[in-house]
Amino acid sequence: MAATDALERLATAVPPKVREVCTTLAEAGHQAVIVGGCVRDVLMGREPGDWDVASSAHPDEVMKLFRRTVPQGLQHGTVKVLMGKGKENEVEVTTFRGEGAYSDARRPDSVTFGVPLVEDLARRDLVVNAIAYDPARNELHDPFGGQQDIEARRLRAVGNAVDRFTEDGLRVMRAVRFAAQLEFDLDADTEAGIPPALPSLSKVSRERVSDELRKLLKSREPSRGLKPAVRVGILANILPELVIGSPGLIDAWAARIDRADPGVRLAALVLPLPPAQAVDVLKRLKFSNAELDLVGHVLRIAGASRTAGIAQVRKELSRIDKGKREAAVQLWASEHDDALVGLGRKVLDEKHPLGAGDLAITGKDLMDGLQIQPGPMIGRIIERLVNYVIEDPARNTREALLAEAQRGELEYPAS
Ligand code: ATP
Ligand code: MG
C-alpha cells in the first residue's frame, strides 16, 4: 500500500473518541499514538477489535488530563478513560514502557516508564503488531517493517525470535493464532525460534493457552495455524496425547477441522482420541464445563457407521442429550459423509421421537392403562417403548404404545 493510502485509511478509521483522547494528550505536550492490533487491522482492511492508545504521558498525568478515568493495572501503566456512557466510549491509554528480564516466562520482572515510543514498540511480540499511528500529526511509526510484513503476509518476531518467545511463553500461541486469524505465514527464522522456546510455553497458565486455541479454532481455516503448531511442537507440548502420525493423517485431520462448523471444531480437534480421554485433556486445558460436555457427547457418536440405516441413526442420536444432537450431526458433516448426515438431518428436522419425553404416552397413562403401581417397573417399560419407537416413529401413538406395553407385560412379567 502506498504510504499516503495507509495514512488516509488510518485517519478515517480512528473513532472520534479515540482521536479526541490523542488530541487532548498531544495538546498537553505528550506523544499519543494508536498501536498494535488496531493499526494492523486497519492497514489490512479488517475491522479492529479494540483501539489501544499508547502515550509518553505517565499514568498520573493521564488521570489528571481527563475528567473520568479508572486505573487499570497501574503496574502496566494502563488507565481507562471514560469519554461517555457505555463500553464503546472507553479508551485505554497505556504509558510507553520498557520491560526488564522475564525470569518466569510469563511477565517482566520490571517495567520502566518514560521510554521513547520505539522502545515500547520493540517490546511487542510480532512486527505486524508493532506499528503505531499518531492521529494528531498524521504520522506512522513503523521501525521494524510492519507494513512490508503485512504486504508479504508474514509473521516475524520483533528482534531475536528465540529470545522473544522464551521470555513470554504465550507468544508462540499468539504466533500460530495470528497465522490462522490473519492468514499469514510464519517467517522461517521466526518459526525456527519456536522449538527452543517451548519450555516457556509449559509455564503459561492453561487458561491463557486455551483462550488462544479457542481464537485459533474460530478462524476461517484453523489448519493455517494448526499445521505450523504441529510442525514446531506446540501441539505436542499442549496436547501430548494427541499423536496423529503421518503427514497425510495430519493433513486429513486439519482439513476436517476446517470443514467442521465452528461449534464443533474443538471436538474435531480431539477426535483422534477416545471420548473419555479427549474430555480429560481438554479439562486439563481448562476448557469450560459446557465445552467439555459438548465434546463428550458428540464424540460418543462421532464414529457412527456410514452405512447405518435410519433406525440406527436414530439409535445413535438417542444416546446423547437432546441439545447436543445438532452438533453431533455437524461433526458427521465435517467428514463429508453425505448419507449419514442426510439421515441425521431428517431425524432431527422431522423431530423423530428419540427419548422418553417424546413418547405419545406418559408414566401416568401407563399406570392407569396397565393397572400398575408407581415404581421402577414404569421406567423399564418406558425404556422399552423408546426403543420401540426408535425402530419406527409411526408407532408413536397412544394406542400402539399401550398395546406394546401390555404385550410386554405378558411376555416379560415383572422382569
Ligand atoms: P486481537 O485484539 O485482535 O486479538 P491484538 O494484536 O490487538 O490482537 P492484544 O492482545 O489486544 O492483541 O494486544 C495488543 C497489542 O499488545 C498487540 O498488538 C501487541 O503489540 C502487544 N502484545 C499483546 N500481547 C503481547 C505479548 N504477550 N507479548 C508482546 N506483546 C504483546
Ligand atoms: Mg487487541
Side-chain angles (χ1 to χ4, degrees), residues 35-38 40-41 49-52 174:
V35 66
C38 52
R40 175 202 70 214
D41 288 342
D50 37 21
W51 293 84
D52 295 310
R174 286 175 55 91

Side-chain angles (χ1 to χ4, degrees), residues 150-162:
I150 290 175
E151 199 70 45
R153 307 186 75 80
R154 162 176 77 201
L155 297 172
R156 271 189 307 151
V158 177
N160 180 282
V162 180

